[in-house]
């Protein structure tokens, strides 16, 4: 069985240097401007709370809601841990954005062919036996990559070794059924913008329980969304064709004028 990979973020070790974001942007070929809010060009950001820095990114949930709500299977949970998105399947319904309990997926509103964007857990690096770019770049060990079970053990050991330093909680161990990004902290999580009232039951179980009671609505909704996607796509294609025809018209008019 493939060991589930994870990252342990020890908030007490983070110095706010932003090397994780810089490395992520470089790895993913994103604009190098510093960003404080998750965006299509920032898969990880730092939030500051009175001198304490917290990394935000996709949590790569063990049982992800984005996967369960996507009507066309554009999101998948891989055996190693990363939750990945396939732009070729996406119909742009943005259910994933609505459903994510951590408000992670971002949409390329300015793009003619918009995609959803989020951290990929450097899946291609993991396949080569490398660690994620952000973990490799972190100079203090605040972001540590490894097997999820080992990191959970290590998190508990760090808390046990210094109980006066750490809050007695590993965030991500149980939230929404568990996540691949785990946090330990010296400041209570609710003071650092973490949601501390999330269900311990994976949300897909809850959503499917609810959805199973309205199968017709789901089926009709799926067909409707496909229709919306088709019309939108078709409209873009027609607009592009019209623009091309106009360009050809202009060119041939110019040609005739110069020859006349
Ligand atoms: S944090 Fe949101 S986008 Fe990431 S795996 Fe979980 S549900 Fe999906
Ligand atoms: S795991 Fe990779 S994609 Fe995700 S934040 Fe780190 S560097 Fe970026
Ligand atoms: S690279 Fe490490 S220390 Fe620097 S901001 Fe990111 S997590 Fe914090």
């Amino acid at each position: 069985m493939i060991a589930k990979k994870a990252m342990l973020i020890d908030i007490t070790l983070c110095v706010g240097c932003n090397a994780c974001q810089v490395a992520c942007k470089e790895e993913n070929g994103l604009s190098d401007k510093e960003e404080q809010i998750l965006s299509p060009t920032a898969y990880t950001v730092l939030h500051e709370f009175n001198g304490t820095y917290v990394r935000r990114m996709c949590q790569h949930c063990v049982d992800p809601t984005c996967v369960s709500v996507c009507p066309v299977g554009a999101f998948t949970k891989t055996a190693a841990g990363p939750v990945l998105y396939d732009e070729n399947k996406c119909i742009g319904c943005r259910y994933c954005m609505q459903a994510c309990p951590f408000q992670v997926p971002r949409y390329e509103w300015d793009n003619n062919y918009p995609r959803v964007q989020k951290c990929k857990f450097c899946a291609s690096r993991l396949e080569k036996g490398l660690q994620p770019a952000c973990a490799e770049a972190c100079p203090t060990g605040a972001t540590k990559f490894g097997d999820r079970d080992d990191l959970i053990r290590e998190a508990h050991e760090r808390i046990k070794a210094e109980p006066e330093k750490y809050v007695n909680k590993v965030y991500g161990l149980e939230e929404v059924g568990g996540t691949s990004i785990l946090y330990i902290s010296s400041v209570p999580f609710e003071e650092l913008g973490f949601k501390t009232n999330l269900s311990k039951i994976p949300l897909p179980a809850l959503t499917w329980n609810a959805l199973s009671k309205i199968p017709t609505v789901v089926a009709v909704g799926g067909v409707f969304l496909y229709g919306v996607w088709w019309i939108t796509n078709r409209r873009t294609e027609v607009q592009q064709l019209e623009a091309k025809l106009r360009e050809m018209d202009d060119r041939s008019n110019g040609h005739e004028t110069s020859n006349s």
Side-chain angles (χ1 to χ4, degrees):
M1 203 177 90
I2 302 171
K4 289 259 184 285
K5 299 299 180 191
M7 289 204 282
L8 173 61
I9 298 179
D10 186 334
I11 294 170
T12 70
L13 298 177
C14 179
V15 293
C17 66
N18 208 38
C20 42
Q21 187 185 77
V22 172
C24 177
K25 281 173 170 268
E26 201 178 310
E27 175 70 25
N28 291 289
L30 303 171
S31 99
D32 60 2
K33 82 168 182 237
E34 189 174 327
E35 296 182 66
Q36 274 86 37
I37 298 170
L38 288 177
S39 78
T41 55
Y43 300 164
T44 181
V45 293
L46 276 182
H47 288 175
E48 199 221 326
F49 298 83
N50 295 323
T52 300
Y53 297 93
V54 180
R55 282 191 67 190
R56 300 283 184 219
M57 57 194 289
C58 172
Q59 302 295 288
H60 297 279
C61 306
V62 170
D63 196 350
T65 328
C66 56
V67 172
S68 73
V69 297
C70 180
V72 292
F75 276 89
T76 45
K77 173 78 178 172
T78 60
V83 173
L84 299 180
Y85 162 78
D86 182 347
E87 64 186 63
N88 296 315
K89 289 187 180 166
C90 180
I91 56 170
C93 68
R94 302 187 295 281
Y95 275 10
C96 50
M97 295 171 68
Q98 303 283 335
C100 173
F102 302 102
Q103 284 85 44
V104 168
R106 300 295 147 128
Y107 200 59
E108 293 176 325
W109 296 101
D110 297 337
N111 195 332
N112 279 343
Y113 294 96
R115 296 163 300 178
V116 172
Q117 294 287 6
K118 69 167 200 72
C119 160
K120 305 162 192 339
F121 207 166
C122 286
S124 50
R125 288 176 63 96
L126 267 53
E127 275 168 20
K128 292 181 209 146
L130 301 170
Q131 58 178 326
C134 55
E136 188 176 87
C138 180
T140 64
T143 297
K144 184 174 178 182
F145 172 75
D147 289 352
R148 188 168 186 268
D149 289 344
D150 293 343
L151 290 177
I152 289 171
R153 208 170 304 119
E154 182 169 341
H156 284 304
E157 279 167 10
R158 287 193 204 178
I159 293 171
K160 201 170 159 204
E162 293 184 89
E164 67 296 334
K165 176 178 170 185
Y166 290 103
V167 171
N168 188 18
K169 179 172 175 64
V170 179
Y171 191 94
L173 184 60
E174 295 181 314
E175 280 69 23
V176 296
T179 62
S180 306
I181 310 301
L182 305 159
Y183 296 84
I184 51 175
S185 169
S186 58
V187 179
F189 287 100
E190 55 273 23
E191 292 173 26
L192 298 176
F194 285 81
K195 286 188 179 176
T196 50
N197 56 354
L198 290 170
S199 162
K200 291 180 183 170
I201 300 167
L203 295 183
L206 301 176
T207 46
W208 279 117
N209 276 346
L211 290 176
S212 64
K213 293 189 175 62
I214 47 168
T216 320
V217 174
V218 174
V220 172
V223 171
F224 171 72
L225 284 168
Y226 181 80
V228 170
W229 171 80
W230 188 86
I231 290 165
T232 313
N233 223 25
R234 186 79 190 120
R235 197 179 291 150
T236 313
E237 278 173 14
V238 170
Q239 278 168 353
Q240 283 171 342
L241 187 64
E242 282 174 352
K244 229 176 237 158
L245 289 172
R246 263 200 307 274
E247 200 181 298
M248 282 164 70
D249 272 348
D250 288 343
R251 242 190 264 138
S252 69
N253 283 342
H255 184 70
E256 277 168 21
T257 312
S258 63
N259 281 345
S260 63

